[in-house]
Amino acid sequence: MAHLPTPTVAPPDIIRAAYAELIVSDIPASRAFYVGVLGLVVTYEDESTLYLRAFEEYLHHSLILRAGPVPALAALAYRVRSAAEVDAAAEYYTQLGVRVERRAAGATRGIGEAVRIEDPLGFPIEFFSEAEHVERFTRRYDVQGAGAISRLDHFNVVTPDVPFARDYYEGLGFRVSEDIKDDHDVVYAAWMFRKSTVHDVALTGGDGPRMHHIAFATHERSQILHLCDHLGALRQSDRIERGPGRHGVSNAFYLYLLDPDGHRIEIYTHDYYTGDPDNPVVTWDVHDNQRRDWWGNPVVPSWYANASTVLDLDGTPVTLTERTEARESDVTIGADGFSYTRKDDDEVGFKLGAQV
């Protein structure tokens, strides 16, 4: 495993995952999905850009959609505790030896002074503290639909070396809530948090850097089910890639959707509190059929195989690094007897038609 330099300064004090910026090919089509179906609130829009937020959010946006030639991830942003922590981020990453760019207030609409970096995993990451406040729609029941989305919850990124990525994020003060391993101590995925929930970022082992998904939270399972009914009524059920279901990891109720460009969006609810200092790490066996879906339903192959392109700070697609260790999808084929529902059973069972 590679090792990073050790900066002589403290890392920035990160509060939480704050917003994502995605490049999309067709703004009207994206608007129809994110606003017309998901019900996100438009803070600002023009012919080439949409700034969106969920109903409980009072910062300017939690999602930017920008028109461009290649659908991709342009940035993931974390909010830090103060303006001084933006300066701390600049110094910390300068000492790490990665590319660092200072951004003036307003360089991104609604965001104060910020730092964007290309992190050691190859992702474009922004750190900011100050942001424009807008109306919080928590009590705007007159505009909330039955599938109301509350807030951005987390990012999930694909990276070839999960232990390296975990060590990097632990250096930033993130803690592990859950992970997936095998008996040979190969790590397939890890969930890491700053806010007091299961994760702000998940690390999925695979060819990377790529963005697996961004996730928005709802209050209730019924809101997720309504989104499924809504898509069915629109004859857009093919937007549903996986779910609804309940994860083993995180315990959350989930739904995975694909936007018009294939960016994966998770709608997520009912995970748990992790804020105490002795919060225990939950480790899952990669062969446990219930780790990814508590009900034992198979994971569709596209969920493991597909993810969004990542851009560098110049807007150029980042070259992928191949994962050299075993891949989760390759070692959990139920039909070959490599997975289980009850580990100590004499016979390993699987659901007919299960693939991964």
Side-chain angles (χ1 to χ4, degrees), residues 70-92:
V70 179
L73 170 71
L76 298 174
Y78 292 101
R79 195 176 193 194
V80 296
R81 199 161 298 278
S82 67
E85 297 301 325
V86 176
D87 295 331
E91 179 60 25
Y92 183 84

Side-chain angles (χ1 to χ4, degrees), residues 167-182:
D167 287 352
Y168 159 64
Y169 268 101
E170 286 179 331
L172 289 174
F174 285 69
R175 293 161 55 198
V176 178
S177 59
E178 306 200 21
D179 59 16
I180 297 174
K181 297 181 179 181
D182 64 17

Side-chain angles (χ1 to χ4, degrees), residues 37-58:
V37 177
L38 298 188
L40 295 179
V41 179
V42 177
T43 301
Y44 175 85
E45 63 182 318
D46 57 32
E47 291 183 354
S48 62
T49 317
L50 272 170
Y51 293 81
L52 305 173
R53 67 188 193 275
F55 285 105
E56 290 187 359
E57 295 175 321
Y58 65 90

Side-chain angles (χ1 to χ4, degrees), residues 30-265:
S30 292
R31 193 187 198 285
F33 174 74
Y34 286 97
V35 180
V37 177
L38 298 188
L40 295 179
V41 179
V42 177
T43 301
Y44 175 85
E45 63 182 318
D46 57 32
E47 291 183 354
S48 62
T49 317
L50 272 170
Y51 293 81
L52 305 173
R53 67 188 193 275
F55 285 105
E56 290 187 359
E57 295 175 321
Y58 65 90
L59 297 192
H60 187 269
H61 58 266
S62 57
L63 180 63
I64 303 173
L65 304 176
R66 194 181 305 281
V70 179
L73 170 71
L76 298 174
Y78 292 101
R79 195 176 193 194
V80 296
R81 199 161 298 278
S82 67
E85 297 301 325
V86 176
D87 295 331
E91 179 60 25
Y92 183 84
Y93 282 98
T94 296
Q95 292 195 20
L96 272 186
V98 303
R99 182 175 174 183
V100 177
E101 288 187 357
R102 299 298 300 247
R103 294 170 63 87
T108 298
R109 182 180 290 270
I111 300 297
E113 291 187 6
V115 166
R116 279 199 182 184
I117 58 100
E118 292 174 5
D119 78 7
L121 311 182
F123 291 91
I125 303 294
E126 179 174 291
F127 300 96
F128 74 96
S129 173
E130 297 178 356
E132 179 183 337
H133 288 197
V134 292
E135 182 183 0
R136 188 179 227 166
F137 277 16
T138 303
R139 298 173 184 83
R140 288 296 308 274
Y141 298 110
D142 55 322
V143 296
Q144 292 185 28
I149 291 173
S150 302
R151 57 178 173 81
L152 178 74
D153 188 82
H154 63 263
F155 312 131
N156 185 310
V157 299
V158 183
T159 187
D161 188 338
V162 175
F164 174 77
R166 180 191 60 206
D167 287 352
Y168 159 64
Y169 268 101
E170 286 179 331
L172 289 174
F174 285 69
R175 293 161 55 198
V176 178
S177 59
E178 306 200 21
D179 59 16
I180 297 174
K181 297 181 179 181
D182 64 17
D183 291 340
H184 304 290
D185 212 31
V186 174
V187 183
Y188 296 85
W191 285 255
M192 307 192 72
F193 65 94
R194 286 292 293 173
K195 67 183 186 306
S196 298
T197 63
V198 170
H199 58 317
D200 289 274
V201 65
L203 310 171
T204 295
D207 299 344
R210 292 181 295 160
M211 183 196 77
H212 191 273
H213 66 264
I214 62 173
F216 288 92
T218 65
H219 284 300
E220 300 293 342
R221 289 171 293 182
S222 61
Q223 292 160 320
I224 291 176
L225 296 174
H226 174 79
L227 287 173
C228 294
D229 283 338
H230 191 175
L231 286 161
L234 295 174
R235 289 287 176 176
Q236 294 183 27
S237 58
D238 52 346
R239 293 265 179 248
I240 301 172
E241 181 191 33
R242 181 181 165 210
R246 184 175 294 282
H247 285 308
V249 175
S250 81
N251 193 55
F253 198 80
Y254 71 85
L255 174 70
Y256 291 98
L257 305 174
L258 299 176
D259 83 354
D261 288 292
H263 295 308
R264 183 180 290 108
I265 305 298

